[in-house]
Amino acid sequence: MIFTTPYWLFLLPLAVLPFLAETQPREGYPGLELLPTDGISSLVKWSLRLAGVLGLAGLILGLAGVGVGESSRQVVGHGSHVVLLIDRSSSMDNTFAGRQPDGSEESKSAAARRILKDFVMQRPGDRVGVAAFSTAPMQVVPLTSARPIILAAIDAIGRPGLAFTDVGRGLAMAMSTHGQEQAGTGRSVVLVSDGAAVIDRRLQEKLRAEFARQPINLYWLYLRTSGSKGIFEQPAPGEEDTPQALPERHLNKFFESLHVPYRAFEAESPQAVADAVAAIDKLERRPAVYTERVPGIDLSHSAYGLAAAAMALLLMAKLFERSLKIEGGRRGN
Amino acid sequence: MIEFLNRKAARRWLLITAFLLSAIAAFGWSVRHSQDLVDALAIVDVTGSMLVRDVDKGSQNRLEAARSTIVELAQALPCSSRLGLGIFTERRSFVLFDPVEVCANYDAFSGAVAGLDWRMAWEGDSYIAKGLYSAIDEALPAKSNLLFVTDGHEAPPLPASGVPDFEGKPGEVKGVILGVGGRDKSPIPKFDDDGREVGVYGVGDVPHDNRHGLPGKSASSAEGWHPRNAPFGGQAAVGEEHLSSLRSEHLKDLAQRTGLIYAEQQNGAHELARTLRSVASRSSEVDTDISSLPALVALSLLALLYAIAWRANASRLHPASH
């Protein structure tokens, strides 16, 4: 129970007025003692008093802005905590064919934007956070259930990006976005990038320790530009098998070595991206307990309504009022 | 008057009026008026000079002050206003998310603002003028106003040619440049590679002049000047670029070039909200509930009714006063 303007409650003592006086006028009658107590009369008397109290108190409570405060409840549904880790490097603005988008084809960022927005909207139970990385990692939106801000953050993928792809520090940022809260909820990081980079040894070890400490499902949605190296590509004979030469293959190997549930999706077209996101959606469908915020309810109008109903009763009594005095059959005055 | 109210018909009308007024209050009564709504993209400078602790007598650094001002702004704006967020460093602005409605997204928005960190900066340079111009370019397609929060400390200093030209249309994007920081020159904290604070910048740590482009007209009178070998003079420049204060003159100049309004953080978030509302391009019809007005009158009438009855009883009990 909350009050938006509680100082009106100082008027609440006014609600005892019906015990001091009645809206019906009193009239003298000689010797009431002779009459037996009439049950119906006292019922009427008390209900009119009660109506008076309700009328006054209802108006005062309404003025004080009575309401039920915002609360939260635990809901069992499908949902988990998902952090979208999005590559904001400028190569995302090209098409899957590696060209400038010309109207007939979508750019990688436009496809990712459209499909991720659908993904977020299809899963109302999720708490979603967004982190971005390019030259530096950035926390964009902390885990939240509010959808518009998530959609706005996904929309920002279309904004001009920066130069590089620092996957390692981006991943560390996504892990910290998850934070320590809520063990027991499914937690996942969806990495969306169109390239990979070498993660240096020291950072690799830190990430390994971090993943060991808090198990997080990892999905890598690799938007592959045609002609570029793939995740699963074997080095050609004679080709160097180093992270510098084949960063995607080695990043994949690093993720596999983390001992957490991990899936990599290589998408070479908008359709493949949609399929991959659908697969992630299926994998992340586990029953989960999440907290839903229930907005507060303003009850002041109901309080006014109660007061009005009580006053209707008083008014009825008033209109049925007859005087004991007989003054030429006149009623009133 | 009392005599009149003592009449039964008068009391009946009192009760009828009170009943009707509370019925009106129960169904709700509202008036419609228009309200200016703000759509703004807030771009926050996250470069090194923003970490100078000179706001509120040194209790806050400039970035902290900027963060709390933006959160307070979100509180001060009417619902349905929208705020977006971005950062500025090096020579360009980077949008984190486009403007979103401030009330429904308040939690996440304030969380995102709290997450603004100097570690997001991808480069140490701070070309304020260029960053501002790129922020204007970012605000233009979003059709929003701009709130550019900075201390105006250019690092490296501007070249001899002065402030780079603004190529856009002044006034096309409206908004506010919000200056944050103190008037006195204060030292800038310095961090090592792992992000630990290791003292402050010294005189020798930062360049004190900009030797890109052509030298200024007065360069030829500098000591050791040589047209080919030392066009900027023979001596290394010394200055106070390792100390930082709010460069309000520079920001006022930039505001004039770009058609924005210059305001200062120390005037508070409500002043800022007012300034932003003065350039707001969007307004909405809002319904304000005034049901409490008829309810208040109904309450007075009902209380009056009982008070009169009480008085009448009292006088009846003491016939002497009748």
Side-chain angles (χ1 to χ4, degrees):
Chain A
M1 190 70 81
I2 55 157
F3 298 97
T4 47
T5 45
Y7 47 84
W8 284 108
L9 294 176
F10 283 120
L11 291 180
L12 216 48
L14 281 181
V16 302
L17 274 174
F19 290 100
L20 302 174
E22 281 108 21
T23 49
Q24 312 297 106
R26 289 190 178 188
E27 287 189 352
Y29 191 83
L32 272 180
E33 288 81 359
L34 283 174
L35 296 175
T37 331
D38 180 29
I40 293 181
S41 294
S42 37
L43 183 71
V44 168
K45 183 177 89 178
W46 281 101
S47 36
L48 287 185
R49 266 185 194 171
L50 184 69
V53 170
L54 286 179
L56 289 164
L59 287 173
I60 293 167
L61 288 178
L63 284 170
V66 65
V68 177
E70 188 190 274
S71 57
S72 57
R73 63 170 177 212
Q74 303 266 306
V75 184
V76 180
H78 294 287
S80 58
H81 291 183
V82 182
V83 172
L84 303 172
L85 176 60
I86 297 166
D87 186 355
R88 291 275 305 264
S89 62
S90 36
S91 55
M92 287 284 281
D93 301 336
N94 295 337
T95 64
F96 284 94
R99 288 191 295 263
Q100 293 275 316
D102 60 357
S104 57
E105 282 170 302
E106 256 180 322
S107 71
K108 282 179 284 187
S109 62
R113 211 157 73 208
R114 181 170 56 80
I115 292 155
L116 286 177
K117 278 163 90 169
D118 285 348
F119 174 71
V120 168
M121 288 314 281
Q122 278 162 18
R123 299 168 56 89
D126 284 355
R127 273 163 72 78
V128 185
V130 180
F133 69 98
S134 175
T135 312
M138 301 169 200
Q139 186 198 300
V140 178
V141 181
L143 281 176
T144 176
S145 313
R147 286 293 176 265
I149 194 166
I150 296 294
L151 297 182
I154 294 174
D155 260 332
I157 303 176
R159 298 294 194 131
L162 300 171
F164 302 107
T165 306
D166 190 345
V167 178
R169 289 203 295 153
L171 203 56
M173 173 58 78
M175 304 279 291
S176 75
T177 302
H178 263 302
Q180 314 295 331
E181 51 166 341
Q182 295 258 338
T185 332
R187 295 197 284 182
S188 52
V189 170
V190 179
L191 163 63
V192 183
S193 83
D194 68 338
V198 182
I199 301 180
D200 81 73
R201 281 250 162 248
R202 273 165 61 202
L203 189 55
Q204 278 194 21
E205 254 142 55
K206 280 185 185 158
L207 283 173
R208 232 181 264 284
E210 193 68 18
F211 270 101
R213 209 166 51 76
Q214 44 172 343
I216 285 178
N217 301 351
L218 181 61
Y219 302 96
W220 181 17
L221 181 55
Y222 172 52
L223 309 176
R224 184 179 174 186
T225 316
S226 60
S228 69
K229 303 280 187 201
I231 298 179
F232 309 109
E233 201 157 310
Q234 294 297 323
E239 197 182 357
E240 269 187 293
D241 189 12
T242 62
Q244 281 76 16
L246 296 166
E248 285 80 15
R249 172 177 146 81
H250 283 267
L251 186 64
N252 184 42
K253 281 171 92 171
F254 169 65
F255 286 159
E256 278 170 350
S257 71
L258 286 173
H259 305 295
V260 289
Y262 162 65
R263 283 274 303 266
F265 300 92
E266 207 174 69
E268 288 168 304
S269 66
Q271 185 51 43
V273 179
D275 292 345
V277 169
I280 296 173
D281 184 33
K282 212 169 278 168
L283 286 170
E284 283 296 313
R285 281 223 179 264
R286 274 171 306 183
V289 179
Y290 61 94
T291 321
E292 196 180 69
R293 278 167 78 168
V294 186
I297 312 163
D298 176 24
L299 291 178
S300 60
H301 289 289
S302 317
Y304 293 143
L306 180 72
M311 265 182 260
L313 196 67
L314 287 178
L315 191 59
M316 220 155 66
K318 196 83 192 157
L319 294 177
F320 286 139
E321 177 182 298
R322 293 291 181 275
S323 178
L324 287 170
K325 295 172 199 153
I326 300 156
E327 290 171 19
R330 275 195 305 148
R331 186 168 61 83
N333 276 19
Chain B
M1 181 71 184
I2 298 291
E3 273 310 302
F4 168 74
L5 286 172
N6 264 330
R7 292 166 60 174
K8 277 186 189 164
R11 290 203 215 169
R12 192 158 63 222
W13 280 112
L14 222 52
L15 192 55
I16 290 174
T17 320
F19 164 72
L20 289 178
L21 287 173
S22 25
I24 289 172
F27 284 107
W29 189 23
S30 54
V31 284
R32 182 160 282 221
H33 63 103
S34 91
Q35 193 175 39
D36 287 330
L37 296 176
V38 173
D39 285 345
L41 181 62
I43 302 281
V44 182
D45 184 347
V46 291
T47 56
S49 62
M50 287 296 280
L51 299 174
V52 174
R53 287 182 202 90
D54 65 349
V55 183
D56 274 351
K57 300 186 188 78
S59 62
Q60 271 185 318
N61 71 34
R62 295 174 187 172
L63 188 57
E64 285 162 359
R67 284 199 295 244
S68 54
T69 304
I70 293 174
V71 171
E72 283 161 23
L73 174 68
Q75 294 166 357
L77 290 177
C79 285
S80 299
S81 291
R82 289 186 295 207
L83 285 178
L85 196 62
I87 56 172
F88 153 74
T89 182
E90 195 205 356
R91 62 193 81 200
R92 48 171 300 190
S93 299
F94 183 86
V95 176
L96 294 177
F97 53 85
D98 291 327
V100 289
E101 203 275 324
V102 285
C103 291
N105 299 295
Y106 177 76
D107 253 11
F109 180 80
S110 55
V113 173
L116 291 179
D117 192 338
W118 65 272
R119 289 176 179 82
M120 288 179 165
W122 55 89
E123 193 89 34
D125 293 349
S126 174
Y127 295 87
I128 307 278
K130 288 180 179 168
L132 175 65
Y133 300 162
S134 101
I136 289 172
D137 289 343
E138 296 283 359
L140 195 56
K143 289 194 177 58
S144 60
N145 294 324
L146 179 66
L147 171 63
F148 193 77
V149 188
T150 181
D151 55 5
H153 186 117
E154 298 263 1
L158 288 169
S161 52
V163 180
D165 286 330
F166 177 56
E167 285 164 2
K169 249 189 266 168
E172 192 175 14
V173 169
K174 295 191 177 70
V176 173
I177 299 179
L178 189 72
V180 47
R183 302 263 165 230
D184 302 324
K185 290 185 180 292
S186 312
I188 306 170
K190 187 175 166 182
F191 295 84
D192 69 4
D193 285 350
D194 291 323
R196 281 184 289 259
E197 193 171 337
V198 286
V200 295
Y201 282 99
V203 188
D205 291 334
V206 295
H208 293 275
D209 69 348
N210 187 328
R211 296 196 166 178
H212 292 286
L214 293 172
K217 290 196 178 72
S218 62
S220 57
S221 59
E223 200 186 325
W225 179 78
H226 183 278
R228 189 190 65 200
N229 295 338
F232 290 89
Q235 302 292 314
V238 282
E240 289 192 316
E241 286 298 321
H242 61 294
L243 300 174
S244 175
S245 62
L246 170 59
R247 310 274 166 100
S248 50
E249 289 311 313
H250 179 42
L251 293 177
K252 276 177 196 159
D253 174 38
L254 285 175
Q256 215 197 338
R257 282 165 192 267
T258 52
L260 299 170
I261 299 168
Y262 175 70
E264 286 191 6
Q265 180 268 337
Q266 58 189 12
N267 295 337
H270 285 274
E271 183 60 39
L272 176 61
R274 240 192 310 283
T275 314
L276 278 171
R277 282 170 79 162
S278 73
V279 294
S281 51
R282 200 161 62 96
S283 68
S284 80
E285 298 286 306
V286 284
D287 293 330
T288 307
D289 187 60
I290 51 162
S291 306
S292 55
L293 220 64
L296 185 60
V297 178
L299 178 66
S300 326
L301 294 182
L302 192 59
L304 181 67
L305 190 66
Y306 277 109
I308 291 166
W310 189 22
R311 220 184 108 89
N313 288 348
S315 56
R316 198 158 292 144
L317 287 175
H318 306 286
S321 65
H322 201 53

